[in-house]
Amino acid sequence: MTEKKDKLTLVVLSGDLDKVMAAFIIATGAAAAGKEVVMFFTFWGLKAIQKDGMFTGKGLFGRMLGVMNRGGLNAIGPSRLNMGGMGRWMFKLMMKQKGVTQLPELRAAAIDLGVQMLPCQMSMDVMEISQEHFIPEAAQPVGVATMLEHASESGIQFFI
Amino acid sequence: MSDTKLSLDFKGLLCPMPVVKLAKAIKEIQVGETLEAVATDPGVMADIPAWTRSTGHELVSLDKREDKTFKFVVKRVK
């Protein structure tokens, strides 16, 4: 096991606007400081690397999940006070008024800085999400062993 | 400053964009050259020194100015 102080591994379990935003801010900040950054997206977190406006699911439950749990950065709302989408609208507006960088631009900055984005294969199978639902920059899916290998090489690990 | 190679406007940018843009800009100058930037986010007072400590580049100066902007000069070291 070789620990590299200048590597960061983030596990992104959450698919909420606020938490995904925190994850991308940490990732871009670290990459800007010259660190190698690996983001492992699992369960709800997969929404952060899904394309906008694409429905997922193959079977009945999978398709129902795809409708009720829309992925893509424009579809996700805050973890609290979303109030059926009103919260998402309000937070986005407030952030825009203050000049905070919006999620799509933040993710683009992460991509630009070479942040690696790994989807979790098992979550994809459960939720019936396939590679074609992801943005092209998403890497091939991996499992826990790959994530742990990255984490054990990292001086910093985050679970969001 | 006359030997500054690059002058950047970070006004209106909030975390994490000042360091993201700084990381890109530092690659545009040569080792030994300096760049300067003006920001409005008070967070840069803590974050720019932290960034230079993490990356090994040199913080030449960082000042809060009369007009509530923050000016800093960074030298590319490696």
Side-chain angles (χ1 to χ4, degrees), chain A residues 6-145:
Chain A
D6 53 356
K7 182 167 173 179
L8 168 85
T9 298
L10 282 128
V11 176
V12 186
L13 174 90
S14 311
D16 305 307
L17 178 118
D18 42 5
K19 296 181 186 184
V20 167
M21 191 148 180
F24 278 118
I25 290 173
I26 295 167
T28 51
K35 295 183 199 305
E36 182 186 347
V37 182
V38 175
M39 300 177 88
F40 179 75
F41 294 89
T42 184
F43 225 81
W44 309 115
L46 291 175
K47 294 201 275 187
I49 49 170
Q50 276 177 243
K51 289 175 188 159
D52 282 307
M54 231 178 142
F55 288 100
T56 55
K58 292 191 199 93
L60 175 64
F61 292 135
R63 283 204 295 266
M64 274 167 57
L65 185 69
V67 171
M68 292 188 291
N69 183 50
R70 294 280 297 279
L73 295 181
N74 291 323
I76 61 174
S79 58
R80 298 192 60 199
L81 308 174
N82 192 24
M83 300 175 289
M86 267 174 60
R88 174 176 63 219
W89 174 82
M90 189 194 75
F91 274 115
K92 278 188 180 174
L93 185 66
M94 287 177 74
M95 289 193 283
K96 197 175 177 182
Q97 285 169 345
K98 271 125 191 144
V100 175
T101 307
Q102 305 278 311
L103 260 180
E105 201 190 327
L106 214 46
R107 187 178 65 191
I111 291 165
D112 197 37
L113 289 161
V115 171
Q116 297 173 64
M117 300 189 287
L118 315 180
C120 161
Q121 179 71 68
M122 187 273 274
S123 309
M124 288 168 64
D125 293 344
V126 172
M127 300 175 100
E128 300 178 8
I129 298 171
S130 50
Q131 190 78 21
E132 77 210 33
H133 297 122
F134 295 138
I135 56 168
E137 292 83 1
Q140 290 298 305
V142 298
V144 67

